[in-house]
Amino acid sequence: MMLRAVRRLFIPSRTLARYMVRMHLSRFFGILLGLTVILQMLDLLATADDVLAADGATWASILIYVSLRAPQLMTLFIPFAALLATILTLATLNQSSEVTVMKASGLSSHRILLPLGIASLIIGIAHFTFNETIVVDANADLEYWQQNDYAIDLPDNPDLAGRTWLREGNSIVLVESVSTVRNRVVLDEVSIFERDNLGRVQAMVKADFAWYQNGAWTLHEVRRFDANSHLLSVTPTVPWSIPTRPERFLALNVKPDQVPFGALWTSMQRLREEGLSTDRLMTSFLQKIAAPASTLLMPILAALAAFGVSRAGGLVLRSVFGVALGFSFFVADNFMLAMGEFGVAPPFLAAWAPFCLFLLVGYTVIFYTEEGRPQLKHAQAKPAPKSAE
């Protein structure tokens, strides 16, 4: 009984809530599908020649490319599609005077927007799940395919990581790529710069690959150049006494957009245990939550399309202003994300500052719109004019 009373306090009519949620979701999926199709066609105009240039490539290669590229486009424009769907829904309700009827029945601005907030919450949860189950794999597979010039019949992605720099004592280590072969980590094209206590290079060691086995590293096909004697020595295998374990190489080069939520957290923990900075990864980690959560802002940023008198041209201007407000949020969000990845802004601030700022801006706009301000009744009512005697 208490739950029903609380539910009726916020959602007085299930029928109205279902009506608004269905209206919002139908427009959202239509806009998202339209945007994805248009952007995918434009993307194909730029990349189709490269995909078909591979030996043996057919139209099946185009279909594979679309299956990997479309999830990236969808996850990128889900918040923007939610914004447009919210504006279109509220503008339709306003134009048909349904918002006026809701307010006349005693519903406040928050209770009118609540069903759209529920729809946005559904979209946000689906967005997060979609990112962590489909998009991360599509990002990894597409990058692996692009690095191999869209070649057909490629083996499975070996979880290859890119170039990694590492400092151990006085030595600096450069690894061109890190891969996992049969549950073992292999370092390809290893370069070691041995330095003295003053930082001067004493020798340079290059190896075709390094293999971790039985708790120790081994360099294979090693060439060592001594900077003092100018002698070059070649050795088939050399033990490599470096305390770094294989997991550290993988953690150092983890790509946040290609690993799920839990794997990214595990990589951060490994780096933190070794005293390394995780600010860049923490920014991306928090962004994995903040990006889907941004859909919850859309009803607030688009509220101008609902709360205002629908005069000639007024509704269009309010809708345009709502789009501009949402677009400003996306610009600020991308800017702060870049600042966080470069280490200029703290991770939490980089991920959540735009959300909090535009939440405040959205509520301020609602408060100061004509229909959103509290109406002062009786207290400020003007006295009726006296009748002439």
Side-chain angles (χ1 to χ4, degrees), residues 44-208:
L44 281 176
L45 291 176
T47 59
D49 291 340
D50 295 333
V51 175
L52 294 175
D55 293 337
T58 62
W59 286 103
S61 300
I62 295 293
L63 296 178
I64 295 174
Y65 176 81
V66 170
S67 67
L68 296 177
R69 180 61 173 153
Q72 295 180 346
L73 297 175
M74 290 180 65
T75 191
L76 182 63
F77 285 95
I78 281 177
F80 192 70
L83 172 67
L84 295 180
T86 307
I87 291 177
L88 184 59
T89 300
L90 293 177
T92 302
L93 294 173
N94 191 358
Q95 192 172 20
S96 58
S97 300
E98 291 177 88
V99 173
T100 304
V101 174
M102 295 179 197
K103 295 186 74 66
S105 64
L107 295 182
S108 64
S109 302
H110 293 86
R111 296 171 81 181
I112 294 174
L113 293 176
L114 185 59
L116 299 183
I118 295 174
S120 298
L121 178 62
I122 295 173
I123 294 173
I125 294 174
H127 187 191
F128 178 82
T129 306
F130 181 66
N131 279 343
E132 299 305 303
T133 56
I134 297 177
V135 177
V136 290
D137 293 334
N139 289 338
D141 293 340
L142 182 57
E143 182 176 345
Y144 173 61
W145 197 26
Q146 288 173 337
Q147 290 175 348
N148 290 275
D149 299 325
Y150 303 105
I152 63 172
D153 298 330
L154 276 177
D156 292 337
N157 190 347
D159 297 329
L160 190 67
R163 173 177 290 188
T164 303
W165 288 90
L166 181 69
R167 180 176 179 178
E168 282 292 349
N170 292 333
S171 299
I172 296 178
V173 180
L174 169 62
V175 179
E176 290 296 332
S177 63
V178 184
S179 58
T180 304
V181 179
R182 296 178 182 176
N183 297 325
R184 295 180 180 178
V185 176
V186 178
L187 311 180
D188 295 321
E189 298 185 24
V190 181
S191 300
I192 306 171
F193 303 90
E194 299 177 356
R195 305 183 302 170
D196 59 14
N197 294 330
L198 299 178
R200 295 174 299 190
V201 176
Q202 297 297 305
M204 179 178 178
V205 180
K206 293 185 69 69
D208 288 350

Side-chain angles (χ1 to χ4, degrees), residues 190 192 205 207 209-211 217-222 235-240:
V190 181
I192 306 171
V205 180
F209 64 95
W211 186 273
W217 288 99
T218 303
L219 297 173
H220 296 264
E221 303 299 329
V222 183
T235 310
T237 59
V238 173
W240 188 19

